[in-house]
Amino acid sequence: MAEGMLWLVSLGPGDAAHLTPAARQALRQAELVIGYAAYLTAIEPLLAPQQQRQPFALGEELVRAETALRAAAAGRRVALVSSGDIGVYGMAAPLLQCLERWPVAQRPAIEVVPGVSAVLAAAARLGAPLGHDWCCISLSDLLTPWSVIERRLRAAAAADFVIALFNPRSQTRTWQLATAQRLLLEQRPPGTPLAVVRAATRPDEQIERTTLAELQPERVDMLSLVLIGNSQSRWLERWLLTPRGYREEQP
Amino acid sequence: MAEGMLWLVSLGPGDAAHLTPAARQALRQAELVIGYAAYLTAIEPLLAPQQQRQPFALGEELVRAETALRAAAAGRRVALVSSGDIGVYGMAAPLLQCLERWPVAQRPAIEVVPGVSAVLAAAARLGAPLGHDWCCISLSDLLTPWSVIERRLRAAAAADFVIALFNPRSQTRTWQLATAQRLLLEQRPPGTPLAVVRAATRPDEQIERTTLAELQPERVDMLSLVLIGNSQSRWLERWLLTPRGYREEQP
């Protein structure tokens, strides 16, 4: 039997200029490419006709993972893809959650290819919002109790982290972002800089520069990231700056 | 006068396979490349003979930033580089801190090129440690009072974030990591998975897989990142998995 291989490939934020050579190489080597349908459409120009595509609907992450594992274990060269960095709310975790149930001897070889996470692409558009300690919090309460998410929001606000909110809002999760906004406003000033970055680096990119108090949650969708500054963050024309420390420095 | 341009270029974790085409393109377009000397040495194979190099010593970030701004404002095409992602404890924040003092009319055009942060490269080597909410904390107290850092460590531990510690230890900052370990152990079990990833993706890469209690801080250096799992994180042979939720799921 051929030696199977499974690459977990990070596709980056969208523009091919931010896809790493390692990711491109993994895609090129794969016989079978598995992923959410919209991602496969996005990388279609990078694939050759003879490479097999296996698109999946949204959700179905564990089925996607199991499919990829089985194909690689059967000797195929497989790429499982996620946008951004595959380790950040992408397919890497569900893949390992599936792998955990496999007998050790049957587990295929796996390589994780890192990439430019959506949060880094959004931050680059804004300048330096992540210039000091920061955190990522997903507002999806599908697999995580809201109480856990709420505890993290409160902790991040109290400890003055820069906060990146993933999955801020979808058609079915409509109240979480407004609740998060209210919780954060209990501990952060209303004028705290906040940016909503939608589809960073893609042709339909949109950036909204506002404040924690003035955020309009209903204008945010599932393609957006919400970035919230710390107590030192400030706007500089279109740039958002979080200084790298709390002590004054002079050049 | 020629139209100056300043690219803030993320070099990624080290291996050129993780340098994005956008970063490579920015380096190619620059007449002048400015950065910490070791980074310029690392990208030497990517530069042409006629491109000017201006290396700087460690520290001197604001001087580096001011030098880059002045050259771009004088009409030159300049690349200012940082390893990993330039927005994550890199040169983007000091650059904007300098820019803030410039009259608006004299500010040069700037573009930030995102990259694969060291934390994402380290995470990829481990599988899926960042599978749920996570934070970055720098243990450098050069510009940040230790009390602020300590508050963040306590908050991150209490709210069950996965924690990535940047700048964990240097020749002069020797006690911070052991103190962080002690603080985290007040709220996290001793068996919490912990990994020390040194020089991820580079030829001298080293990975140590251990636990929060068993970490030996004196074995960690300034090229290392320390990754600490949340309450759900677990080892799976050489992989570190943080599941993407707290609720059980079945494929």
Side-chain angles (χ1 to χ4, degrees):
Chain A
M1 196 176 70
E3 191 74 44
M5 179 72 204
L6 173 54
W7 291 279
L8 308 188
V9 181
S10 303
L11 298 180
D15 185 323
H18 302 293
L19 181 78
T20 68
R24 196 176 277 256
Q25 169 77 354
L27 290 177
R28 201 180 291 125
Q29 291 180 278
E31 301 163 69
L32 170 63
V33 182
I34 296 175
Y36 169 47
Y39 300 157
L40 293 196
T41 304
I43 59 170
E44 185 58 42
L46 303 175
L47 301 178
Q50 73 276 11
Q51 291 181 285
Q52 189 189 339
R53 290 88 163 141
Q54 191 162 359
F56 281 83
L58 260 190
E60 301 192 354
E61 285 84 4
L62 295 177
V63 185
R64 253 184 264 174
E66 191 67 22
T67 304
L69 281 172
R70 281 189 191 153
R76 303 193 75 191
R77 296 192 308 279
V78 182
L80 176 65
V81 304
S82 282
S83 72
D85 183 278
I86 197 162
V88 178
Y89 308 113
M91 286 298 302
L95 190 284
L96 291 187
Q97 287 177 257
C98 283
L99 187 72
E100 199 171 27
R101 304 194 191 99
W102 281 52
V104 171
Q106 290 171 34
R107 295 176 183 172
I110 296 171
E111 186 183 330
V112 184
V113 182
V116 176
S117 168
V119 64
L120 299 183
R125 288 300 199 225
L126 295 165
L130 308 180
H132 208 293
D133 304 332
W134 56 287
C135 65
C136 296
I137 300 176
S138 167
L139 294 191
S140 170
D141 55 354
L142 196 64
L143 298 171
T144 301
W146 179 255
S147 60
V148 174
I149 299 170
E150 188 165 315
R151 183 154 54 102
R152 288 193 181 139
L153 290 165
R154 289 185 193 280
D160 205 30
F161 279 97
V162 176
I163 302 171
L165 299 179
F166 280 71
N167 306 313
R169 197 164 189 277
S170 73
Q171 291 194 314
T172 52
R173 290 183 304 94
T174 54
W175 57 265
Q176 287 82 353
L177 180 56
T179 304
Q181 179 185 28
R182 187 174 48 71
L183 290 173
L184 295 175
L185 277 169
E186 291 173 11
Q187 300 183 75
R188 291 277 185 89
T192 300
L194 181 150
V196 181
V197 182
R198 186 180 186 282
T201 82
R202 296 206 288 268
D204 53 339
E205 174 181 290
Q206 284 183 321
I207 302 181
E208 191 170 330
R209 295 167 173 84
T210 181
T211 64
L212 182 55
E214 282 161 3
L215 166 71
Q216 296 180 283
E218 66 281 7
R219 291 167 48 93
V220 175
D221 71 5
M222 63 182 284
L223 294 178
S224 302
L225 263 184
V226 177
L227 281 166
I228 303 156
N230 73 11
S231 63
Q232 312 297 303
S233 302
R234 51 201 183 242
W235 294 105
L236 196 64
E237 301 179 273
R238 69 189 183 97
W239 301 115
L240 179 52
L241 162 64
T242 300
R244 63 196 184 125
Y246 285 70
R247 298 196 176 103
E248 282 301 319
E249 8 161 29
Q250 295 297 328
Chain B
M1 196 177 68
E3 191 75 43
M5 180 72 204
L6 174 53
W7 291 278
L8 307 188
V9 182
S10 303
L11 298 179
D15 186 324
H18 302 294
L19 181 77
T20 68
R24 196 177 278 257
Q25 169 78 354
L27 290 176
R28 201 181 292 125
Q29 291 181 275
E31 303 161 70
L32 170 62
V33 183
I34 295 175
Y36 169 46
Y39 300 158
L40 294 196
T41 305
I43 58 170
E44 186 56 42
L46 304 175
L47 301 179
Q50 72 277 13
Q51 291 182 286
Q52 189 189 338
R53 290 87 164 143
Q54 191 162 359
F56 281 84
L58 260 190
E60 302 190 354
E61 284 84 5
L62 295 179
V63 185
R64 252 184 267 175
E66 191 66 24
T67 304
L69 281 172
R70 283 190 191 154
R76 304 193 73 191
R77 296 193 309 279
V78 182
L80 176 65
V81 304
S82 281
S83 72
D85 182 278
I86 197 161
V88 179
Y89 308 114
M91 287 296 304
L95 189 285
L96 291 188
Q97 288 177 255
C98 283
L99 187 72
E100 201 170 27
R101 303 194 193 101
W102 281 53
V104 171
Q106 290 171 33
R107 294 177 182 171
I110 296 171
E111 185 183 331
V112 185
V113 183
V116 176
S117 168
V119 63
L120 299 182
R125 289 300 201 228
L126 294 164
L130 309 180
H132 209 294
D133 304 332
W134 56 286
C135 64
C136 295
I137 300 176
S138 167
L139 294 191
S140 171
D141 54 356
L142 196 63
L143 298 172
T144 302
W146 180 255
S147 60
V148 174
I149 299 170
E150 188 166 314
R151 184 155 53 103
R152 287 192 180 138
L153 290 165
R154 289 187 194 279
D160 206 29
F161 279 97
V162 175
I163 301 171
L165 299 179
F166 280 71
N167 306 313
R169 197 165 188 278
S170 73
Q171 290 194 314
T172 52
R173 290 183 304 95
T174 53
W175 57 265
Q176 286 81 353
L177 181 56
T179 303
Q181 179 185 29
R182 187 174 46 73
L183 289 175
L184 295 175
L185 277 168
E186 289 173 10
Q187 300 182 77
R188 291 278 185 89
T192 300
L194 182 150
V196 181
V197 182
R198 187 180 185 281
T201 80
R202 296 206 287 269
D204 53 339
E205 174 182 290
Q206 285 182 319
I207 302 180
E208 191 169 330
R209 295 167 173 83
T210 180
T211 63
L212 182 56
E214 282 162 2
L215 166 71
Q216 296 180 283
E218 66 281 6
R219 290 166 51 91
V220 175
D221 70 8
M222 62 182 285
L223 295 178
S224 302
L225 264 184
V226 178
L227 283 165
I228 303 155
N230 72 11
S231 64
Q232 312 297 302
S233 302
R234 52 203 183 240
W235 295 106
L236 197 65
E237 299 177 277
R238 69 189 182 98
W239 301 116
L240 178 52
L241 162 64
T242 300
R244 64 196 182 123
Y246 286 71
R247 299 196 176 103
E248 280 303 317
E249 9 159 32
Q250 294 297 328

